[in-house]
């Protein structure tokens, strides 16, 4: 809740609707990404399944980097860029002004959905391996899960390091993409 003054001098509470918006955004995005993943995995081989898995892991890492960079970046260079009318300057400022929401969308909404979809994709791969190898070995499941966890967690750790050290460059690249796509104009 944020406090706003009313005409009578009493503080007036304004409801924060961001959690509700994030909830519905997560439902919609999860449905879309799950649909594309299940469509791509339907009746495919290992190459396509692993490719889909790697795409979702990479998306999770990239969006995690963006979420961290936006919270770590200093707005001063972007104010200068915007004043000089450099492409992406205004978009970068808008990202930083909404850092809490951008971070939530990138880290929580997109990142968590990518993690869930990659987990589902790994389950499809494990099931196919168990079927094709005519085995019920739990070691295959453990091995695939451990490998995917390693790639995801290691990738995010590397991405966070880059995002913190080069936060200005990361935010600027995202802002340039947003400028090219005419987002936030």
């Amino acid at each position: 809740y944020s406090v706003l003054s009313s005409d009578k001098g009493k503080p007036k509470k304004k409801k924060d609707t961001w959690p509700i918006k994030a909830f519905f955004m997560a439902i919609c995005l999860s449905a879309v990404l799950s649909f594309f993943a299940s469509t791509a995995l339907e009746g495919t081989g290992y190459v396509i399944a692993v490719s889909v898995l790697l795409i979702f892991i990479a998306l999770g890492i990239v969006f995690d980097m963006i979420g961290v960079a936006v919270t770590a970046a200093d707005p001063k260079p972007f104010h200068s860029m915007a004043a000089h009318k450099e492409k992406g300057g205004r978009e970068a400022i808008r990202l930083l002004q909404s850092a809490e929401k951008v971070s939530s969308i990138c880290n929580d909404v997109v990142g968590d959905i990518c993690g869930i979809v990659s987990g589902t994709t790994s389950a499809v791969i494990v099931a196919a391996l168990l079927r094709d190898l005519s085995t019920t070995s739990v070691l295959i499941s453990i091995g695939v899960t451990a490998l995917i966890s390693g790639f995801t967690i290691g990738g995010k750790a590397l991405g966070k390091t880059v995002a913190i050290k080069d936060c200005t460059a990361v935010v600027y690249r995202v802002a340039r993409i947003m400028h090219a796509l005419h987002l936030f104009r």
Side-chain angles (χ1 to χ4, degrees):
Y1 290 100
S2 63
V3 178
L4 300 174
S5 60
S6 67
D7 295 335
K8 297 178 184 179
K10 293 182 181 178
K12 187 177 182 182
K13 292 184 179 180
K14 181 182 175 190
K15 289 187 179 182
D16 183 12
T17 59
W18 171 243
I20 295 167
K21 289 177 185 176
F23 172 78
F24 286 111
M25 186 184 313
I27 289 172
C28 294
L29 189 58
S30 180
V32 169
L33 292 178
S34 293
F35 171 76
F36 284 123
S38 62
T39 302
L41 293 173
E42 200 170 296
T44 63
Y46 293 112
V47 173
I48 299 294
V50 170
S51 297
V52 168
L53 175 65
L54 292 175
I55 288 168
F56 279 107
I57 290 172
L59 274 173
I61 292 168
V62 167
F63 275 87
D64 196 61
M65 281 178 61
I66 295 167
V68 170
V70 167
T71 59
D74 181 11
K76 288 177 188 173
F78 299 112
H79 284 292
S80 175
M81 289 177 195
H84 291 94
K85 307 259 189 248
E86 287 186 42
K87 295 177 182 176
R90 280 188 5 204
E91 291 82 1
I93 291 170
R94 300 255 334 247
L95 283 170
L96 297 181
Q97 287 173 339
S98 303
E100 180 182 317
K101 291 178 182 175
V102 172
S103 177
S104 181
I105 290 168
C106 291
N107 297 105
D108 301 330
V109 176
V110 177
D112 291 352
I113 290 169
C114 286
I116 291 165
V117 174
S118 68
T120 304
T121 305
S122 68
V124 169
I125 292 170
V126 167
L129 281 170
L130 293 174
R131 181 191 65 236
D132 292 349
L133 298 175
S134 300
T135 184
T136 58
S137 175
V138 75
L139 294 178
I140 291 174
S141 177
I142 292 170
V144 170
T145 302
L147 192 60
I148 292 167
S149 295
F151 278 123
T152 303
I153 294 167
K156 285 188 175 194
L158 178 63
K160 279 182 173 68
T161 302
V162 170
I164 290 170
K165 287 184 178 181
D166 297 325
C167 55
T168 303
V170 172
V171 171
Y172 185 60
R173 284 187 186 109
V174 172
R176 290 292 303 253
I177 291 168
M178 291 172 64
H179 179 82
L181 296 174
H182 303 286
L183 299 174
F184 281 156
R185 283 195 181 179

